Amino acid sequence: MGVEYKYVIVGAGMSAHSAARGIRERDLVGSILMIGQEPDSPYDRPPLTKDLWKGDKTLADIDLHTAEKTDAEIWTGVRATSLNPDTHTLITDDGRTVNYEKLLLATGGSPHTISQPSDRVIYFRTKHDYELLRALAQPGTSIAVLGGGFIGLEIAAGLALAGAQVTLIISDDSPGSLVYPPGLCGVISQKFADHDVRVLTGRIASEIQEEKDKVNIYFDAHPAVHVDGVVAGFGITPNNALALDGGLPTEAGGVVVDAMLRTSDSDVFAAGDVAYYPDDILGRRRIEHVDNAQSMGKTAGHNMVRADERYVHTPYFYSDIFDLGYEAVGRLGSQFDMVEDWAPGKTNKTGVVYYLEDRAVVGVLLWNVWDSTDLAREVLKEFGEPGSVGNPAKQLKGQIPTR
Ligand SMILES: Cc1cc2nc3c(=O)[nH]c(=O)nc-3n(C[C@H](O)[C@H](O)[C@H](O)COP(=O)(O)OP(=O)(O)OC[C@H]3O[C@@H](n4cnc5c(N)ncnc54)[C@H](O)[C@@H]3O)c2cc1C
């Protein structure tokens, strides 16, 4: 038998919260159940690497107050383990059976690991991880940050602001060199140097071992590093187990959805980091960013009530490192051709970088340039066909004002 809800959302993260709000915009009374394996109700994740370290926000500020805002029932600390779309049932790890009319998979992703996580080895993703790291990161504590992606760079900056003795260990040549043009990488490196962050480049950790109160990090071709704690940001694997269990198609690790965010079963939807969706401008993809989680969650919520809304929003994303900040749309990567358009006298301070592949624009970086994501989307639309940019400097520079 089990319990019955009209709408069930698996995952109590950022897209789950937006989906519950989306449902309520169309259905004021239908019952909503949210099942989340973290001990917390939905909260805002980006401040975990930014505002909380800068002192701009507290943990209380990041609570999204989902239950008050949507009247959803939230089961925290509970994992959904099995899905049967034919019988419209879910089973949870505490043995409950849940019947739904409409289901949303908003399960996000799990961090890649190379060792057992612990109080001293943190694969950073959650509020609990923040609490562990905050307790560890006392002034003078030595902490190694592994991974030079968005999370690694941001958390290294946050830890430095907290007074920890930080070693940033990355596989690439300099912080950001997989994503930004060399001039910007120089600016980022200088920021880390200004804050006494030691940077070790060209290193891939092969093993992490704990020994009493220390952590040893081993590398194949470099001496080991010994620290009080490690925080790692190696990327995530989408949590697609329920979709696989329910026989729903996945691709590139994500759950395949149509423009209405429906899986192959019209009563099961997916949104956020786990969804492999058809983007109007960028084509089919999975996006691990908050604007996508929120906008897609909202549309999924609407469509759980009445499936009539295409997801047409091409999301932007952002990152902050110390006082440096940007917004971006599309794909960034130093493997692409990069066309830099800096404001006069503000090289590597304020400007736009266009990323090109096959003479088409695939990404736009707005470095210290704000309120321009719509213009970036226009550029991606106009110059998105392979071969459409014959003369990059002439065709692209000035498309987006570098004010
Ligand atoms: C530290 C950090 C900083 C970030 N900063 C930025 C930023 O600056 N800019 C930006 O654009 N994006 C940022 N992001 C990315 C952004 O937060 C994510 O894209 C967004 O949270 C994705 O939302 P989601 O709902 O898909 O997944 P999540 O918010 O990750 O939520 C998924 C939830 O589902 C739970 N779950 C999984 N499987 C099950 C199951 N079977 N049963 C029950 N529960 C389950 C998970 O435990 C998790 O709580 C950041 C992410 C992190 C971790």
Side-chain angles (χ1 to χ4, degrees):
M1 257 309 282
V3 287
E4 260 186 58
Y5 292 82
K6 186 158 187 187
Y7 308 102
V8 174
I9 302 174
V10 184
M14 298 207 64
S15 48
H17 169 81
S18 298
R21 297 210 72 175
I23 291 170
R24 277 292 169 257
E25 285 174 2
R26 288 188 162 192
D27 179 348
L28 291 176
V29 293
S31 58
I32 305 176
L33 171 67
M34 199 177 278
I35 304 173
Q37 68 188 7
E38 286 185 54
D40 300 290
S41 292
Y43 56 85
D44 198 11
R45 251 176 237 283
L48 297 177
T49 44
K50 306 175 192 63
D51 316 49
L52 291 172
W53 296 95
K54 293 178 181 162
D56 295 343
K57 279 189 179 160
T58 65
L59 278 179
D61 295 331
I62 69 172
D63 187 342
L64 292 172
H65 302 285
T66 309
E68 291 114 279
K69 286 183 179 156
T70 67
D71 201 27
E73 184 175 334
I74 306 177
W75 294 354
T76 55
V78 177
R79 195 160 62 88
T81 52
S82 177
L83 165 65
N84 186 335
D86 294 337
T87 55
H88 284 60
T89 45
L90 267 183
I91 296 180
T92 60
D93 62 352
D94 56 1
R96 284 182 272 190
T97 300
V98 178
N99 299 295
Y100 63 84
E101 275 181 39
K102 303 284 175 185
L103 178 77
L104 174 67
L105 300 174
T107 46
S110 298
H112 295 160
T113 60
I114 58 166
S115 69
Q116 208 39 42
S118 75
D119 290 2
R120 284 181 183 277
V121 181
I122 301 161
Y123 294 92
F124 199 86
R125 181 122 198 113
T126 65
K127 191 169 160 184
H128 178 63
D129 295 332
Y130 168 79
E131 288 166 329
L132 288 178
L133 188 60
R134 193 78 203 186
L136 196 61
Q138 299 305 318
T141 311
S142 60
I143 306 217
V145 178
L146 298 180
F150 301 113
I151 292 210
L153 299 190
E154 289 183 3
I155 204 70
L159 286 165
L161 293 175
Q165 203 183 301
V166 184
T167 304
L168 173 63
I169 304 176
I170 58 178
S171 59
D172 33 325
D173 300 337
S174 71
S177 63
L178 297 178
V179 178
Y180 312 110
L184 275 183
C185 296
V187 170
I188 296 170
S189 290
Q190 189 56 51
K191 277 282 167 196
F192 281 118
D194 292 347
H195 288 83
D196 296 325
V197 174
R198 181 166 73 127
V199 180
L200 301 178
T201 59
R203 285 165 173 76
I204 297 178
S206 52
E207 204 181 333
I208 297 176
Q209 276 181 8
E210 289 187 61
E211 196 180 341
K212 295 195 184 135
D213 291 345
K214 285 281 175 193
V215 185
N216 307 319
I217 309 165
Y218 297 97
F219 306 89
D220 288 340
H222 294 276
V225 170
H226 311 283
V227 281
D228 297 318
V230 170
V231 54
F234 291 145
I236 60 169
T237 307
N239 291 324
N240 61 16
L242 279 178
L244 294 175
D245 186 59
L248 305 171
T250 60
E251 208 175 314
V255 181
V256 178
V257 292
D258 65 12
M260 306 286 189
L261 308 177
R262 288 173 301 210
T263 65
S264 59
D265 182 299
S266 59
D267 291 332
V268 182
F269 297 73
D273 285 7
V274 80
Y276 187 67
Y277 79 100
D279 188 280
D280 257 12
I281 302 176
L282 305 168
R284 267 214 177 264
R285 64 195 48 239
R286 212 172 50 71
I287 291 190
E288 297 170 6
H289 292 296
V290 67
D291 177 34
N292 184 55
Q294 291 172 321
S295 318
M296 200 188 251
K298 187 169 168 185
T299 301
H302 288 166
N303 284 341
M304 287 169 82
V305 180
R306 196 171 53 254
D308 61 1
E309 188 178 317
R310 292 180 74 248
Y311 181 61
V312 292
H313 178 69
T314 293
Y316 80 99
F317 59 97
Y318 64 95
S319 183
D320 292 331
I321 309 162
F322 298 110
D323 57 349
L324 306 173
Y326 68 81
E327 294 178 339
V329 185
R331 287 188 290 155
L332 311 187
S334 49
Q335 76 274 23
F336 299 127
D337 295 326
M338 294 179 270
V339 176
E340 300 173 52
D341 187 12
W342 298 106
K346 294 194 173 170
T347 301
N348 295 321
K349 288 196 178 80
T350 300
V352 178
V353 182
Y354 301 90
Y355 292 77
L356 287 97
E357 185 181 46
D358 299 332
R359 291 195 285 153
V361 179
V362 294
V364 178
L365 170 67
L366 304 160
W367 190 269
N368 200 25
V369 169
W370 309 102
D371 302 321
S372 300
T373 52
D374 279 341
L375 286 173
R377 290 182 186 99
E378 288 306 315
V379 169
L380 283 159
K381 258 191 236 166
E382 188 175 343
F383 300 102
E385 280 300 313
S388 58
V389 187
N391 184 339
K394 195 167 166 211
Q395 285 175 273
L396 298 177
K397 286 190 177 181
Q399 285 287 344
I400 300 176
T402 53
R403 50 178 181 268

